[in-house]
Each structure stands twice: as structure tokens, then as C-alpha cells.
Amino acid sequence: MKQLIFSITLCFFLIQTDANAQLFGKKKRQKEKSQTEKKKGDFKNYNEIIKGDVKSDQGLFTTHEIDDKLYYEIPFAYLETDLLLVSRIVKLPDNFGGGYINAGSKVNEQVVRWHKRDKNIDLKVISFENESDEDSPIYKSVEANNFFPILYSSKIEAVNPDSTAYLVDVTSLFTDEVSAINAMPERLRKAYKVKRLDKSRSYIASAKSFPQNVEIQHLMTYDAGDPPGRDQAGTISMLLNQSMILLPEDKMQPRLADDRVGWFTIQKYDYNSDKLKSDDYELIRRWRLVPKDIEAYKRGELVEPVKPIVYYLDPATPEKWRPYFIQGIQDWNVAFEEAGFKNAIIAKEAPTKEEDPEFSPEDVRYSVVRYVATTTRNAVGPSVSDPRTGEIIESDIIWYHNHLRSYRNRYMIEAGAQKESARTLETPEEEIGEMMRMVIAHEVGHALGLPHNMKASSAYPTDSLRSATFTQKYGLTPSIMDYARVNYVAQPEDEGVRYIRMMGPYDKYSVNWGYRYIPEAESKEDEKPILDEWILDKAGNSWYEFGSGYGVADPRANRESLGDDHVKASEYGLANLKKVVPNLVKWTAEEGQDYAELAEVYRELGYMWSGYIRHVYDNVGGVYETRKTANQKGAVYEHVPKDIQKGAVEFLNEHAFTNHEWLLNREILQRIEDDGAIERVKSLQTRTLSNLLDEDRMIRMIENESFNGSEAYTVLEMMDDLRTGIFSELYRGQTVDAYRRNLQRTYIDLATNSIAELNAEEKRNDEVIISDVIPLMRAELEQLKTDIASRRYRTSDKMSRIHWNDLLARIDKAFGE
């Protein structure tokens, strides 16, 4: 049975009017011989068009530049052929898109086909999400409901001299606004008050054709009322690159995804499934690696791939950082060796103009680690893949220059108490280079198909991160794809400990699972039992578990956390921060400079403090997720044990909701601001308290009690523990300082607002809310009202009494009294 693939129509394209859309399946495409029999007399004379000062380039399509026009010769043989169209930015204004759009950013990628319609050539957008067998009855329905849209259309101008190709004017594809390939989305159009595309200042800059791809660069200029950056011309100009690459007719064998092992995927829907629905499944995105010597590979020898993965360094990369970038790329060879390949990934310096005048970072044939000179503090690892099979065709790793600053600051904050080399704004090259190396390795991991595995960091025992032997061998986490950048658990007395993340056992496992060549399997279905067996072999070992950290309540899948005991890890982290804060003035001082660096590092230290607190409070009402299939025993979802939740609230009362004199260091504050310290602490504490009293969290706790009874940490227990901690001065008859008064007012306001919001939702939806959250909050306020009324005069401090009376008034207002 031959399989056919269909597209979901994209809403922003023109509706296709030709009902005779040719669909393709697994059988070899048949060329239309009638094309070559078309009489040239039906079109213009080729030599009347292609004449004079013509710049031509032969390749996949022969291109002709004449004055301000661009023509393609589209071979008959490549009509109805799958081509990948990749749109990228080459040059752009400063701070365009807020700094996260840069030279090399991908605008779009889509599969297209040239289609002849009478005397026209249409460029159709093809998708491969829906599929059906061409001989099945449902084929017609899938075809009718997945009509291919037309991206661009042009009249055929002529037939080339040897009657093998149509000559088509494609100028307007690159000089008009075609939404699917331009870099001005509607949100930026509104933000920059873009009025129109100025065609007089928009043009095709270059056209190059290669055997497998065509590369076009075109400049687009927009009139804008509020352009980004320091633009004074009232315009936005961008140079774009459009790559049209021939997809392989010999398709890579796809591999079925399994959510127990993390991979970027492509969604598919099979309408010929025997199930009582369309059979949806996913394919993983990966490079095609095939061993040169399959027999040696079968014997367990390490074998080089037929075509290795090659990355080029951007020529703009500073020379001193290049060795670290190369190391970061080639670090993955250790993981590929686990999959049976040697020298699977290679890093190279980009060729000079003399060595290869055709080399371009925008050419989709080349994967490049780009060094971007912007103030953005980030790095990314996107890739381009064949939607038919998941084969990754190309990727560009992007390093933003100021990301160095992020790691310098984090290293000082999280390792300054332990390492003398971290106590400076000039981090030693070897150490900042090691951090850069691991960032590049992380981004290459994305480009290989691996998503974040935020759960990995919870696998190692917390105290093992204080061991030199353990950390030097296994790193900080089983996966470099986690966010666990610096070892904040290690203490000043711990010698020889590793402080920077590195590749771990999960990375080797996942690469083996996704890239190992299985010669005995002739289809993706044949592979599945083998892949399942590899997963089951590691089942129950937390080092090999996957958790994305997105959309789940699992506290183990938390970014920047370390170790299996969040309370202990955060206590270690806070102990280090308390040693760092008194030294920040000295460590950040630069002769002749102001205190901007101090202010920046101090601000980021506050964020990290907040992160340590978040790692703990996420355990309250948390639910562990262990991904399993039906043939595996045990639950997928389990509530966090009672003692861990209760211990988390005790930690919060001790470390989050107290007076942070250590954080409010006078030597720092007097140098960076004239006020704002109280408000800063209030903001940090309010965020923590608001998250702790989140409705979804409380609902999970209520469900836990209904399932597990006395073994559950109940909402009432949590509220009692929280109240006695936050209002400890009330129960002890003590004076309340300004910071605690702020916190206690926030507690009352959050409870009040929660009731008001839920009541408003009830009225808006005209329904009865059955959640226990409203009565719980009401009961909490009533309890506080009783306690405050009976205890408010146990202190002689006038300001404290005023505060207690104010809280009573706030509670009365909440009840409408």
C-alpha cells in the first residue's frame, strides 16, 4: 500500500483554486512527459528576455539577474518536487524585536513545490501532518480537507533553449510583502508603527544557485513611525536570505518518539488507523547518521558515519573563545560513541573568501555557530528539519556576546563564597571559557534534537554535590540539557569540587536511544520494540528519567535547582549568599567607575535568592510525575510526601518570611539607591506568598487529602503552619518591624483578593463555585480576626498596635462589615 501525505491549509495564505493538486506518496514520482511536448510558440521567445547584461548562475535552478528583475529556470524534472524554503535575517537594525531577533535568526521554514497550472507556475506550501493510503476510501476525504495553499504565482515567460525548463519571473516574490517569508510580524508592525513597504528602497541583492539549493538575498525597507534603536531615518531596513533546498528523494527512516525520553518531535495523524480515531503519533527530529561500515558496526566497533555533522565557527567569533566553542561542539562525540559512532560531529573554522568564495553562513548547506554582537544575554540552538521524516537538515547555534556577563555574575554570586577566582568582574579566561564551552554544548544538544530535561538535576543526592570525586566524574546533573549552571551546594570547605555543569549519563543514554543505527529494522514500527527495551532497561533509575519542567507540578523538574533535597540544597545556597553579600562592594569595585556593576550583581543575587525559595515552595502541593507506559507498574502521578511538604513550609517561615537583614546590606544600598529596599523585600516575599497560596496548588492539596487522608499534608495544616509563622509576633507578643508589617498586610490582601476574584468569576459565569478555596480563605481571615482581636494589646509598641488594628479593618472590609 502506497502512503500519501497531505497538508493542513495555512490560514494566512491564499486559497488554492486549482482542484487538480498532485499529491505524492512512497512510490517514485512520475514526471509529466507532456511538459516537454509543449510548443515554445505558446510563450515568449527565450532569447528576447534573457539578453544584454545578464548575470546568470547555474545550479538547482538557473537564475538570471537582469536590471532589477530575477528569473528562475524551473526544470520540468523539479515540478512537484519537495523543496524546503528557509527564511533568515542577514542584517537588521539595532535592538530589533527587543534584542532577541538577530542576524541569523530564522523567520520561517516550510516545504514548497512548484506546480504548473496552464500557463502559470504556482508555488504551493506543503505540510505532512495528515496522512492516508491512496487506495483507501478515506483518501478522498483527507485530500478534500487538506487543500494545498498557494504562496506565490507567476506566468510562464518562456521555455529554455533545450526545452527542459520554464522561465519564470520571480521578482515580486522577493520585493513584495509575502507574509510567509518576511521578517515583519504583525506585533512588530504595530510596535514600530510600520506604514508600508517602500518598494523604491526594496530590491534583490544577490542570487546564487548551487546543485542542491538556491540562495536569494533581498533588502526590505519599511516606513516606520517609531523604528527601533537609534534610527533617525524613519525607516526599518532588513536584509533577508531565502534558501530553497532540495529535500532528499531517498528519505531517512523516521523514528517514533516516546515521551519517556526527551526529544523535539513532529506531529503526525494517520487516518488509516484501525483505531476508532485518527492515529496520532510523533517522530523525533534528528540528523541522519549511517555507519560507513555496517558489518563492523554490527560487531560493536566504533564506526564513522557516512556524513558527519559539521559546524563552522562564525568568522566574527573572537579568537580566544574559539577553542572553547570547538570543544563544546565536539564534546558530543562522547555521547555519539555510546551510539556506536566515532567522529560523528566536527567543528571547523569557517573558510576564508580565498578558500571558498561561495561560503555564506546563511547558506542552508552549512551549520554555523554564530557570534552575535548585541547586548542580549542569551544563547539558542534552533534547527531546520525535513517534516516528512524528522531529519535535521541544518542548524545555527547563536551566542549573544553579552551572555558572558550572565555567567560572570552568576559565578561570582553562586561560587564567590567558595572560590577566590570567582570574586572578580574579570573572571579568569580558563573558567569563563569552560562556562562558554558548556553553554555551546547545551545549545548543540538542542540542535541535535534534545529539549530541556529539567528533571535531571533532582537525580543526584544533594550532599554528593559537595564531593570532588563524585562531581568530577558525574558533573552537577545527569544531563547538560538541564538548567543547573553553577554548583551553589558546595561549601567553602569542600575542596576539588566541580562548579560548572558538564555532560552526564542521561545525555549519552538519550543520544544512543535516538541515534543508534538499527540495521535489522526495516521500518519505524520494527524499531519500536527495541527502543522500548532500552527504556525498560533503565526504568526506575532516576538518572535516566526525563521531565521537561513545563506544564507540570513536579518540583523535581525545576530550573536551576540542584540535588534531590531542595530544602537542604537551598540552605546550602543561602549560606553561601550570606557570605557573598558583605563582599560585593569590594569584588565589584573598579577605580574611576560608578556602582552600576554592583547594582547589577546585587539585583541578580536577589533573583537567585528568589529561585532558591521557589525550589522549596514548589514541593508544597507538588505532584511527582514519572512517565510510564501501560506495561509498566506503578503510578505516573504521586503527591509529594507529607513530611517534605511540611518541611518546605518550615523552611519558608525561617528563610523567606523573616527579616532579611543580611540581604539588606547598608554598605551596598547606600551606594546604589536612595530608597526602595523595603519595597524590594516586599516584592520578593509577596511573590513567594502569592505562589504558595495559588488556587491550583491548594486544589491539588485538597485532592491529595481526599485520596490519602491522614498521610496527606492538608490545606488546613499548611494554613495553620503559615499563619503561626508569618504572624509569630502576634502569638508571642513581640514588636513587628516594617518588613514584617508589609508581609502581614500582603497576607491579608492576598486572602481577600482570592475571595473577591473567585466571587467575581462566579458572578461572571453565573455558576456556583464548588471549590473549597473560598471557604478556606474566609475561615483563615475569621481565625486571624479572632486572634488579632484577642492578642493585639500584648505588646506595648504603639506602631505594632496600629498595625494590628489596621489588619482588623482590612479583614472587616473583606467581609463587607
Side-chain angles (χ1 to χ4, degrees), residues 503-603:
M503 200 163 296
Y506 174 85
D507 301 313
K508 299 175 184 178
Y509 160 70
S510 60
V511 166
N512 177 70
W513 190 90
Y515 279 100
R516 178 164 285 278
Y517 188 73
I518 308 176
E520 65 270 29
E522 297 183 358
S523 69
K524 62 183 186 295
E525 290 78 15
D526 289 345
E527 289 186 340
K528 187 170 179 15
I530 300 170
L531 298 171
D532 285 348
E533 190 60 37
W534 294 347
I535 295 173
L536 293 175
D537 185 56
K538 302 293 186 183
N541 187 332
S542 60
W543 288 22
Y544 302 100
E545 289 185 4
F546 172 73
S548 67
Y550 301 102
V552 295
D554 189 343
R556 299 175 301 180
N558 218 326
R559 62 178 58 196
E560 304 295 353
S561 63
L562 286 175
D564 62 353
D565 186 334
H566 291 142
V567 169
K568 182 183 286 187
S570 291
E571 285 175 341
Y572 283 138
L574 290 175
N576 286 331
L577 292 188
K578 290 175 182 179
K579 295 180 178 70
V580 167
V581 168
N583 292 289
L584 282 184
V585 174
K586 178 175 62 177
W587 293 352
T588 60
E590 294 181 292
E591 188 173 348
Q593 300 296 319
D594 61 16
Y595 292 103
E597 297 279 12
L598 172 64
E600 178 179 295
V601 173
Y602 178 69
R603 182 179 65 250

Side-chain angles (χ1 to χ4, degrees), residues 32 114 168 233 257 413 446 619 663 725:
E32 296 184 10
W114 295 104
V168 178
I413 295 165
H446 286 319
N619 285 275
L663 182 60

Side-chain angles (χ1 to χ4, degrees), residues 588-751:
T588 60
E590 294 181 292
E591 188 173 348
Q593 300 296 319
D594 61 16
Y595 292 103
E597 297 279 12
L598 172 64
E600 178 179 295
V601 173
Y602 178 69
R603 182 179 65 250
E604 292 183 23
L605 184 144
Y607 297 152
M608 292 179 197
W609 172 88
S610 184
Y612 298 163
I613 300 301
R614 185 187 72 248
H615 301 158
V616 174
Y617 71 61
D618 273 352
N619 285 275
V620 182
V623 178
Y624 294 150
E625 179 191 49
T626 304
R627 301 184 180 201
K628 296 179 179 180
T629 52
N631 60 316
Q632 292 178 266
K633 294 180 180 179
V636 173
Y637 297 102
E638 297 176 282
H639 291 274
V640 174
K642 179 176 182 175
D643 61 327
I644 294 179
Q645 295 193 53
K646 188 174 180 63
V649 174
E650 291 173 358
F651 170 93
L652 295 173
N653 278 329
E654 182 179 352
H655 295 287
F657 301 136
T658 53
N659 187 331
H660 296 287
E661 293 181 358
W662 68 271
L663 182 60
L664 300 171
N665 184 281
R666 181 168 300 197
E667 291 297 308
I668 295 174
L669 296 175
Q670 289 178 336
R671 287 169 168 80
I672 65 173
E673 62 188 17
D674 52 7
D675 61 34
I678 293 179
E679 189 60 32
R680 181 181 298 106
V681 171
K682 177 186 176 183
S683 176
L684 291 171
Q685 292 181 330
T686 298
R687 190 180 306 119
T688 300
L689 190 54
S690 178
N691 279 292
L692 198 59
L693 297 177
D694 176 70
E695 182 188 3
D696 290 339
R697 188 185 307 278
M698 297 175 76
I699 289 173
R700 290 195 298 270
M701 297 181 75
I702 293 168
E703 289 183 354
N704 185 18
E705 183 180 3
S706 68
F707 293 147
N708 297 308
S710 62
E711 294 183 7
Y713 185 55
T714 68
V715 175
L716 286 176
E717 288 177 290
M718 188 263 282
M719 298 297 282
D720 284 343
D721 290 343
L722 203 55
R723 183 188 337 105
T724 55
I726 290 177
F727 294 89
S728 61
E729 295 89 347
L730 174 69
Y731 298 106
R732 297 171 184 169
Q734 297 173 335
T735 298
V736 194
D737 65 28
Y739 301 104
R740 294 281 288 179
R741 292 197 298 269
N742 253 336
L743 175 65
Q744 290 163 3
R745 280 191 291 268
T746 297
Y747 186 90
I748 299 294
D749 291 345
L750 284 172

Side-chain angles (χ1 to χ4, degrees), residues 750-762:
L750 284 172
T752 300
N753 291 339
S754 178
I755 295 172
E757 289 172 6
L758 287 170
N759 279 332
E761 187 71 21
E762 178 180 321

Side-chain angles (χ1 to χ4, degrees), residues 275-528:
K275 298 178 182 178
L276 301 180
K277 65 180 183 67
S278 61
D279 186 9
D280 55 306
Y281 64 93
E282 293 175 300
L283 302 177
I284 68 170
R285 297 176 58 186
R286 58 178 183 150
W287 297 80
R288 187 193 302 220
L289 291 185
V290 178
K292 284 182 178 178
D293 186 338
I294 292 180
E295 292 306 315
Y297 189 86
K298 288 179 179 179
R299 293 193 297 270
E301 300 175 26
L302 290 179
V303 177
E304 290 186 345
V306 173
K307 183 181 179 182
I309 304 164
V310 179
Y311 278 96
Y312 292 90
L313 296 192
D314 188 335
T317 308
E319 289 189 11
K320 67 178 179 178
W321 302 132
R322 293 180 186 183
Y324 300 105
F325 280 27
I326 289 172
Q327 281 183 299
I329 296 166
Q330 297 187 160
D331 278 342
W332 283 97
N333 275 319
V334 174
F336 281 113
E337 287 175 5
E338 197 80 6
F341 292 101
K342 66 179 179 180
N343 302 323
I345 187 166
I346 299 169
K348 294 182 177 181
E349 299 270 359
T352 64
K353 285 292 183 183
E354 293 72 25
E355 292 170 333
D356 185 357
E358 300 289 351
F359 179 87
S360 169
E362 284 74 40
D363 188 337
V364 79
R365 292 178 300 165
Y366 304 112
S367 294
V368 179
V369 178
R370 305 185 66 113
Y371 198 99
V372 180
T374 75
T375 57
T376 302
R377 293 162 62 173
N378 199 16
V380 294
S383 63
V384 173
S385 60
D386 183 343
R388 305 171 306 174
T389 62
E391 179 183 358
I392 296 175
I393 304 296
E394 176 265 0
S395 80
D396 282 339
I397 310 301
I398 300 173
W399 171 276
Y400 299 84
H401 176 73
N402 262 25
H403 208 29
L404 287 164
R405 193 171 193 156
S406 301
Y407 281 85
R408 177 203 69 179
N409 293 354
R410 181 174 286 276
Y411 197 50
M412 177 184 288
I413 295 165
E414 295 195 308
Q418 309 96 299
K419 287 180 67 67
E420 185 175 354
S421 59
R423 302 166 188 167
T424 173
L425 293 173
E426 300 298 326
T427 311
E429 180 180 319
E430 183 178 349
E431 292 175 62
I432 197 71
E434 178 70 4
M435 293 180 225
M436 295 177 74
R437 169 188 175 183
M438 295 307 164
V439 176
I440 293 298
H442 176 96
E443 302 306 337
V444 169
H446 286 319
L448 294 175
L450 305 179
H452 288 131
N453 182 5
M454 298 302 188
K455 188 177 180 180
S457 58
S458 66
Y460 290 165
T462 298
D463 279 325
S464 293
L465 300 176
R466 300 183 59 185
S467 163
T469 304
F470 185 90
T471 55
Q472 294 296 348
K473 183 176 182 179
Y474 297 112
L476 314 186
T477 163
S479 177
I480 199 170
M481 302 314 296
D482 199 342
Y483 278 173
R485 298 172 232 233
V486 176
N487 188 352
Y488 61 79
V489 167
Q491 298 298 290
E493 62 269 23
D494 301 332
E495 297 182 1
V497 173
R498 182 174 178 85
Y499 281 87
I500 309 303
R501 61 181 169 174
M502 59 184 264
M503 200 163 296
Y506 174 85
D507 301 313
K508 299 175 184 178
Y509 160 70
S510 60
V511 166
N512 177 70
W513 190 90
Y515 279 100
R516 178 164 285 278
Y517 188 73
I518 308 176
E520 65 270 29
E522 297 183 358
S523 69
K524 62 183 186 295
E525 290 78 15
D526 289 345
E527 289 186 340
K528 187 170 179 15

